[in-house]
Amino acid sequence: MKESIVILKSEHRSISAVLLGLKHLAEVAQDARIKPEFQVFRSMLRYIDEYPERLHHPKEDQHLFARLLKRCPEALSLVEGLQAEHVRGAQLVRELERKLVFFEEGWPDGAAEFLGAVDAYADFHWKHMRKEEVEVLPLAEKHFTDDDWRAIDRAFQANEDLLAKIEERDF
């Protein structure tokens, strides 16, 4: 398997792990008897904002998707849809941040709204990642040259996902 595909799938797993954790904590926070540790929510949202939205998605747009369009112009609607989802994902992150502020300031009010925003973002992002893995990567494997892969591998290796480097013993 190409190094960039391994990296992309590893990054998707890291993002999914944070989303699962965020969903779980947002569900636990529905119990109004226990005040949540809001800093944990802020840290998780910071990861979602800083890693996927600022590093992972631009790397896909600028390298993977751009080369795919050169090699496979018929993928235009797929790529445009995924790029639009990148923009929409950033908007959903802003919505998550707003819901968290309202939840923290009005606790225990706002818990259900925050959970709803978390569920909406997680569902959106999981569908998005699935599209990339099930539709984009097979097209890339079919159409990319060795030079394409080398360039994409270099681009994907440039970002370091600290979460992906955490080992089980670190927990």
Side-chain angles (χ1 to χ4, degrees):
M1 184 179 296
K2 304 293 183 194
E3 180 66 18
S4 48
I5 292 176
V6 171
I7 292 168
L8 182 119
K9 288 184 175 184
S10 175
E11 291 174 358
H12 283 179
R13 281 192 307 275
S14 294
I15 294 165
S16 289
V18 172
L19 291 174
L20 281 170
L22 183 60
K23 279 179 62 75
H24 174 72
L25 291 177
E27 289 166 359
V28 169
Q30 300 306 295
D31 184 345
R33 298 170 297 172
I34 304 168
K35 188 171 184 177
E37 293 289 334
F38 287 101
Q39 179 57 44
V40 175
F41 286 127
R42 287 192 298 275
S43 295
M44 295 173 111
L45 292 185
R46 182 176 178 200
Y47 174 85
I48 289 169
D49 184 41
E50 290 187 10
Y51 191 76
E53 298 301 332
R54 296 189 185 182
L55 297 173
H56 177 83
H57 292 158
K59 180 173 57 177
E60 291 172 335
D61 290 337
Q62 296 166 12
H63 301 285
L64 180 63
F65 297 167
R67 284 187 184 267
L68 183 60
L69 289 177
K70 285 181 185 176
R71 300 291 180 209
C72 182
E74 59 270 22
L76 179 63
S77 66
L78 172 63
V79 168
E80 286 178 339
L82 289 167
Q83 289 172 325
E85 288 176 9
H86 285 173
V87 171
R88 179 68 182 133
Q91 294 167 341
L92 290 173
V93 170
R94 301 291 78 77
E95 183 64 19
L96 278 171
E97 291 168 338
R98 280 191 296 279
K99 296 288 186 186
L100 179 58
V101 167
F102 292 135
F103 180 28
E104 186 170 10
E105 290 177 354
W107 181 82
D109 294 336
E113 292 82 1
F114 180 65
L115 176 59
V118 168
D119 285 341
Y121 181 79
D123 185 57
F124 170 85
H125 210 83
W126 283 324
K127 287 177 182 174
H128 173 80
M129 291 186 293
R130 180 162 175 74
K131 242 187 268 184
E132 289 174 345
E133 291 188 17
V134 171
E135 296 181 45
V136 170
L137 293 181
L139 286 173
E141 288 180 305
K142 181 178 179 181
H143 294 284
F144 284 1
T145 66
D146 288 341
D147 286 341
D148 291 328
W149 284 116
R150 279 190 287 277
I152 291 171
D153 286 349
R154 281 191 304 275
F156 274 50
Q157 291 166 350
N159 293 341
E160 188 171 349
D161 179 3
L162 299 177
L163 191 61
K165 298 202 181 276
I166 294 174
E167 304 221 3
E168 186 175 338
R169 72 184 185 309
D170 294 329
F171 289 98

